[in-house]
């Protein structure tokens, strides 16, 4: 059994739905899962987990959510060597920089020496059944990377 953190931020509830879906899916796979909001999270605790999944929305036209700023900045001082990670998030395709916060987190987690277990998943607005299947695949890649 692996120890997996899902840390999320959600304004409309879309990303909370994604995070809770991931939590349920991983628990069905007999994983030890911690679910927390980014605003309550401690980036310095990430190396304590086998894997980390960040779920974030993109604010306005490509910005990180305000409640994710401190966590994101702290990541710059964290060494994630040996920690698997993946990133997913909901955004709106009407924005010129669709899902850019997902890209920012992916780049920073890579820069912090994390091991990217899956391609990032960007979802337009509220996740539908097909989107949740892609989220399941992301989780499966994370699990495969831990074996």
């Amino acid at each position: 059994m692996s120890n997996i953190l899902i840390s999320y931020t959600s304004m409309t509830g879309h990303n909370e739905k994604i995070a809770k879906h991931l939590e349920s899916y991983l628990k069905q796979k007999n994983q030890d899962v911690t679910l927390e909001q980014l605003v309550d999270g401690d980036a310095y605790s990430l190396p304590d987990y086998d894997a980390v999944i960040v779920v974030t929305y993109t604010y306005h036209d490509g910005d990180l959510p305000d409640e994710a700023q401190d966590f994101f900045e702290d990541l710059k001082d964290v060494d994630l060597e040996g920690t698997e990670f993946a990133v997913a998030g909901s955004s709106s395709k009407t924005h010129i920089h669709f899902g850019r916060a997902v890209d920012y987190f992916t780049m920073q987690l890579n820069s912090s020496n994390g091991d990217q277990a899956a391609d990032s998943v960007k979802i337009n607005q509220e996740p539908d059944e097909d989107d949740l299947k892609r989220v399941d695949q992301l989780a499966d890649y994370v699990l495969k990377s831990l074996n």
Side-chain angles (χ1 to χ4, degrees):
M1 181 183 337
S2 297
N3 187 14
I4 301 171
L5 171 67
I6 301 168
S7 196
Y8 75 96
T9 186
S10 189
M11 179 184 282
T12 61
H14 299 164
N15 287 293
E16 182 176 15
K17 181 177 182 178
I18 295 165
K20 287 184 174 181
H21 177 84
L22 276 165
E23 177 188 34
S24 174
Y25 185 82
L26 290 166
K27 283 185 174 182
Q28 288 174 11
K29 302 279 185 176
N30 299 314
Q31 301 304 306
D32 183 15
V33 180
T34 301
L35 180 69
E36 69 181 17
Q37 292 191 27
L38 276 170
V39 70
D40 298 326
D42 177 7
Y44 296 102
S45 73
L46 297 188
D48 298 338
Y49 294 90
D50 299 312
V52 176
I53 302 173
V54 173
V55 181
T56 185
Y57 67 91
T58 299
Y59 185 69
H60 195 51
D61 270 338
D63 299 325
L64 288 170
D66 287 342
E67 63 271 27
Q69 290 287 342
D70 290 342
F71 186 94
F72 185 84
E73 288 301 316
D74 288 347
L75 273 176
K76 295 175 182 177
D77 298 325
V78 177
D79 185 0
L80 295 175
E81 186 173 349
T83 305
E84 301 294 326
F85 78 86
V87 183
S90 174
S91 186
S92 173
K93 286 190 175 181
T94 62
H95 293 153
I96 190 168
H97 300 294
F98 171 67
R100 184 181 262 179
V102 170
D103 298 334
Y104 286 150
F105 266 103
T106 300
M107 287 186 286
Q108 186 53 57
L109 290 160
N110 271 306
S111 293
S112 295
N113 295 319
D115 297 320
Q116 188 171 352
D119 289 339
S120 299
V121 173
K122 295 179 185 179
I123 295 168
N124 185 41
Q125 305 283 345
E126 184 171 1
D128 61 22
E129 187 175 315
D130 288 338
D131 293 324
L132 293 177
K133 286 179 184 174
R134 293 190 305 134
V135 169
D136 291 347
Q137 288 177 330
L138 176 141
D140 287 337
Y141 278 114
V142 170
L143 293 176
K144 184 177 179 182
S145 73
L146 293 170
N147 290 333

